[in-house]
Amino acid sequence: MKPAVLAIDGGNSKTDVLLIADDGSVLASVRGPGASPQHVGVRRCMEALAELATTAAAQAGLPAGPPFARHTAACLAGADLPREEDELRRAMAELGWSETLSVDNDTFALLRAGTDDGVGVAVVCGAGINSVGVAADGRVSRFPAIGRISGDWGGGAFLGQEALWWAVRAEDGRGAPTELLPAVVAHFGTRSAAEVVEALHFGELDHDVLHQLCPLLFEVAEAGDAIATELVDRQAEEIGLLASVSLRRLDLLDAPTVVLGGGVLAGAGRRLLPDVHRRCAKVAPEVEVRLVEAPPVVGAGLLGLDRIGADRTAADNLRRTAG
């Protein structure tokens, strides 16, 4: 008997894979690097996921080749538009990982991990920022979430860039003084922010390192720096705005659930929680805002169990063994 579900959570920075039995127990759990199709392309994404699935099969004592399970539930960063989802679905179907499969954006995994029934709104804030809302009747609210060109503001990579931007301007006199300047210089071990800029310009530092400045930004804001606090407050405003728009679109105004997750919110979510709740409560006064601590791959697994008609006991067992 093949496992019931091959669950995949493919993020920008890491990829998690589970093989799950009919009763919800975890047969194998594997983690690998990020393989977002927007960053590495669909072919390399499939190769990376296949390698992790093969490793999971070996861990579970199963034959190495596909099919790996009866259903594949893949929730991927970079599956932002219908065209992208269709392309990924076709590519996975050709590889024969399972009899049936579903491909969704990774926000769906977060929403399912943070709710009992997958109804509500989720906002994920990792390298980027994205949100999804699902109503009880199946209606969905989504955003393109492909950066500034689609109206986005925030996310770890963006906040890191902003922290450096303000540090550089404080150093050269174009901007107000801010404690972000000494914090950034100390973080990179340079003599100035200008040295950081030069290293980025000449490729001596990868631009991905700017994501590392996000926790630093929250620390400086916590200490009372005005500019850092303004950036953090703006991030809370954007999270609340994404959630509120979906709550209105779907008429989820009667005690809805809003779940938050992603690397940025895992580190700073508790500080942002009151601000996000206050903004959502303007739309839905009885809203519950939760910070989800369960791995998003659990949400992908729960979606897979839903698709094959597993009962509540299997879902509870998965949460207990993998959460």
Side-chain angles (χ1 to χ4, degrees):
M1 290 287 291
K2 289 294 180 184
V5 175
L6 169 66
I8 301 170
D9 171 59
N12 291 301
S13 60
K14 61 179 175 59
T15 303
D16 286 322
V17 171
L18 298 179
L19 278 174
I20 303 165
D22 290 79
D23 65 356
S25 59
V26 176
L27 303 175
S29 177
V30 178
R31 171 168 288 185
S36 169
Q38 287 183 353
H39 293 163
V40 303
V42 172
R43 182 182 61 81
R44 287 183 59 191
C45 173
M46 293 300 109
E47 290 173 352
L49 296 182
E51 182 176 346
L52 292 173
T54 301
T55 301
Q59 189 182 107
L62 301 170
F68 299 112
R70 299 204 309 276
H71 180 80
T72 297
C75 295
L76 307 175
D80 295 311
L81 299 170
R83 287 171 57 181
E84 292 167 328
E85 290 178 347
D86 290 344
E87 183 179 12
L88 290 165
R89 195 176 295 109
R90 288 194 299 269
M92 284 189 190
E94 290 174 1
L95 296 173
W97 293 348
S98 56
E99 299 167 16
T100 59
L101 67 91
S102 54
V103 177
D104 296 296
N105 185 265
D106 57 344
T107 51
F108 285 88
L110 174 63
L111 179 59
R112 186 63 182 89
T115 58
D116 292 332
D117 54 6
V119 173
V121 174
V123 181
V124 61
C125 189
I129 188 167
N130 199 356
S131 179
V132 67
V134 177
D137 61 7
R139 288 176 298 128
V140 174
S141 169
R142 294 184 64 178
F143 300 89
I146 51 178
R148 295 279 288 186
I149 62 171
S150 63
D152 303 344
W153 193 100
F158 181 87
L159 291 175
Q161 292 172 10
E162 287 292 289
L164 178 60
W165 190 87
W166 282 102
V168 169
R169 291 172 73 90
E171 182 172 85
D172 66 20
R174 286 179 291 172
T178 171
E179 289 303 309
L180 287 169
L181 173 56
V184 167
V185 169
H187 176 80
F188 287 109
T190 58
R191 291 169 297 180
S192 66
E195 284 188 18
V196 178
V197 172
E198 186 171 321
L200 289 166
H201 176 69
F202 287 110
E204 296 159 358
L205 279 176
D206 192 292
H207 279 258
D208 287 346
V209 301
L210 293 180
H211 197 169
Q212 300 171 8
L213 297 180
C214 193
L216 179 148
L217 169 66
F218 283 95
E219 290 173 11
V220 174
E222 197 72 35
D225 182 81
I227 288 175
T229 298
E230 183 176 347
L231 288 172
V232 172
D233 287 346
R234 174 69 190 278
Q235 181 69 83
E237 180 182 349
E238 286 295 319
I239 293 168
L241 185 60
L242 281 167
S244 297
V245 168
S246 286
L247 291 173
R248 286 195 186 98
R249 281 178 178 174
L250 300 174
D251 197 29
L252 289 174
L253 307 179
D254 184 15
T257 299
V258 173
V259 297
L260 310 179
V264 171
L265 293 175
R270 300 205 182 280
R271 181 192 184 282
L272 294 179
L273 216 59
D275 286 344
V276 173
H277 185 276
R278 178 170 52 82
R279 288 172 168 84
C280 292
K282 293 178 181 178
V283 175
E286 301 301 317
V287 66
E288 179 185 3
V289 180
R290 303 174 183 170
L291 183 63
V292 177
E293 297 180 354
V297 71
V298 172
L302 291 168
L303 288 170
L305 290 174
D306 293 342
R307 294 294 180 100
I308 65 170
D311 59 20
R312 177 66 178 268
T313 302
D316 291 343
N317 196 25
L318 174 58
R319 288 187 186 277
R320 184 169 55 255
T321 57

